Amino acid sequence: GALECASKCLELLKSWTVRYVLGHDAMRTMGKANVLISGMKGLGVEVAKNVVLAGVGSVTIQDQGSAEWTDLSSQFYLRESDLGENRALCSEKALARLNSHVRVSACTEALNQDFLRNFQVVVLTDSSLEEQRWVGAFCHTNNIRFIVADTKGLCGQLFCDFGEAFEVRDSDGESPHSAMITHISKENPGIVSCTDEQAHEFTDGMQVTFSGVQGMTELNSCGPIEIKPQRRLMSLYSIFNDWFQISQTQPLISMSFHKTDAELLVAMAKQLSTAANFDKFDEDVVHKLSLVAAGDLAPVNAFIGGLAAQEVMKACTGKFTPLKQWFYFDSLECLPDQEDGGLLTEEACAPRSSRYDGQVAVFGADFQEKIKKQRYFLVGAGAIGCELLKNFALIGLGAGEGGHITVTDMDSIERSNLNRQFLFRSEDIGRQKSEAAAEAVKKMNPSVNITAHQNRVCPESEGIYTHQFYSGLDGVAAALDNVDARVYLDGRCVQYQRPMLEGGTLGSKGHTLVVVPHLTESYGPASSSGQKAIPLCTLKHFPHRIEHTLQWARDQFEGLFKHSAENVNHDPEFWARTVARGEVEAVEVLEGVYANLSDRPQDWTECVTWARIQWESLYNNDIAQLLHCFPPNHVTSSGLPFWMGAKRCPHPLTFDPANTTHMDFVVAAANLYGQIYGIEGSRDHEGIQKILSGVRVPEFTPKSSVKIAVTDEELAESKERKEEGEQAGLDLWGLSPPNDDDSNFHMDYIVATSNLRAENYDIPAADRHKSKLIAGRIIPAIATTTAAVAGLMCLELYKLVQGHRRISSFRVAYVNMAVQYYVLSQPGRAPTFTVSKTSSPGWDVQFCPRKADDRLLKKKWCFK
């Protein structure tokens, strides 16, 4: 029993990132779903891989066919030794190893109605129109969610039928909109006034719930109430002081597959006709479709397979908005440009009993030889990196004489990676990502030439990744998880004039970018964060959202444990760097080091004592001082209550060792404090409580001489600003995140610290995983989005390998799979500049950016 429990706990850790995106309730619902995926060619196995990683209850894969050469172009679990064997049976064990919490089984018999009754979701791939019709009709009648996915070369389509009574519980997955209430009228209907701190995002028909309302307390227990936003009103007096939040479900009615045939024909006609004349088919589009239909491409299967798997998750959970009902996609611009002599012949695309036959059928044999000789640098072997390497192996990138892939990633594999980085297995935990990923793709395609590095791509590694290194590359792929690294790598690609493929994800959202030297704009400098800056006074004295208390907790963590530790445990270069700062700053730093050393704890008991006194200072004394300066009934010079609107009146807390959150703070703070000085800590609550019983907490008396700044302007003029340090600044989210390791007390401290401050101000607390998402700025990745993004990136790779030079051939993509938002657009052109001779030696260079591009400012450069 203990082993089984431990195994389940480990699987929960693997699925934790998916929980960030879908939520606990959706994960529980999905864990009970039985899913059938029919067809185990490249598209079917892509859907199955993503669904298994997501953590459904069971997946049954069905296929009556045997492996053929063309399957190896995109079916990553088939080997040459599997030719002639059943595709489902060959894939079963590999899929099962992805997630031991999901039951995976194979079926080699034909589909029938009795068999279909066992499933809540049925997915058809590689199926005939006749099969789609009868299976779709049966599923619609029996309330089984039905999905059709299909690809033909560079084209793909999806169809979804979730029945006539499907309920969408969360349309977009975004956090509910909320607003601070200042007044509610007694009229019928009542008018709710919000603070004018920021514009609310409520629309007609939305439903809201109330919490923390004072006076009309009955509203707190009411169910969802429909609202109709009016012009914004601001009350003079605030007797209500909390939020109202959206709680909304939406019904969805779908038609069955056979009833949408007419819609299908109309949509196909529109797609294949010219914009000017609907009745006239575009013969060129029809011709291209017929040319590529025999192909089987890994990037297209990755994109359509990612979307299809996301629809499976929606069908299981009601989370996110399902497809309505058809989706069509093509990337025909990948084909060789006929005007540049790129006409393909039947002979060039004929099968050759090769693992690349599915790709040769689209691009020809000469292209295949060219892509095998490519030399690429992949930076990052995480979620997107694994998907890119899988695609690289299938398409044959770097798999020929002279071809090569260099992959670098300095991270090692953790258990939480396994739910989205599918090249890794449990036995790989602790290994370097780049090494394990390189080994995995060699098994997929033994011909791939690949070298694994463990270096960070940054100025310090420029001795490794030199001019000679970049000059020997055909291109670079960026699979990075932060903007600074992308900006640096982009700068290197611009410097050495090498194309770059870039992609990123954030839950169900993703983007791709292709940078072509002298043709498209580059990634460019880091733009200002979209995260709204939090005023310092709000953080220091007047929080009213959990985001404020979490940021405050992060600042506490940085100040108490990160900066102190860095000063105490300084490296050999510490003194040189300190002196270089200048006399005034150097003295401040050295005074801090002296204070840390002079207050050094001698044992574990002193660490616990320090933590207890910290608790008293933060949650009792500081609040008492604030209320001494501004009592609850304080009135401003304008005659208005001081504690109104966004200013929530706090109350001091009294320490209670029986309170879990109180003890969590002490345990985490004491352990972190001890780690700075090399003192071994403990999680023994009983032992810590014994120490606490002997701690003498100094009495505190508020001081009338203390002045507390109310605005940022006042704070900037006071000594408080200096004490906060420049680290706070106005963009507080720029700090490096705490280490996301549950054993090191980082998140223990931040969660407890934030929730205690939230209790001071009557702000609803946040659980651990929500706190991680906000305070750690964790970027959740799920397999469906990473697969889709990697597929789109590799479609751009096709164009780079062929040498396309028309900007109209390339695409940048923005997708949000939660709400069916897919935008593929032409990239921006590279900025131009004028060059003129100056009176001094050299040339005056002035950039002339497009008017719409606010990232590019006019700059003058002097070329000597």
Side-chain angles (χ1 to χ4, degrees), residues 176-184 191-195 200-203 206-213 219-220 223 225-230 240-247 545 648 764:
H177 304 311
S178 61
M180 178 77 74
I181 299 171
T182 59
H183 183 263
I184 303 178
I191 297 176
V192 179
S193 302
C194 305
T195 64
H200 66 68
E201 301 177 68
F202 301 103
T203 58
M206 282 186 172
Q207 295 180 321
V208 302
T209 57
F210 293 81
S211 65
V213 175
L219 286 173
N220 297 324
I225 301 173
E226 187 170 316
I227 61 169
K228 182 178 181 180
Q230 298 186 4
F240 307 103
N241 203 20
D242 222 315
W243 317 86
F244 54 87
Q245 300 184 328
I246 297 172
S247 174
R545 299 174 63 97
R648 308 172 74 108

Side-chain angles (χ1 to χ4, degrees), residues 423-434:
L423 295 182
F424 307 140
R425 301 292 178 268
S426 297
E427 59 268 25
D428 294 324
I429 293 173
R431 295 186 62 196
Q432 292 294 319
K433 287 184 177 181
S434 58

Side-chain angles (χ1 to χ4, degrees), residues 42 46 49 72-76 297-303 355-356 359 368 371 378 383-398 405 422-423 441 444-445 448 786-795 797-798:
E46 184 71 47
K49 177 257 294 182
L72 300 185
S73 296
S74 62
Q75 221 286 22
F76 43 84
L297 301 177
V300 178
N301 287 334
F303 178 65
R355 66 176 302 117
Y356 308 115
Q359 187 163 265
Q368 191 58 53
I371 199 171
L378 172 60
I384 294 179
C386 282
E387 292 289 339
L388 285 174
L389 283 172
K390 176 255 293 179
N391 291 339
F392 289 171
L394 293 171
I395 67 179
L397 184 76
I405 299 171
F422 88 107
L423 295 182
V441 297
M444 287 184 186
N445 185 351
V448 171
T786 55
V789 164
L792 292 173
M793 291 173 69
C794 288
L795 288 174
L797 175 62
Y798 282 150

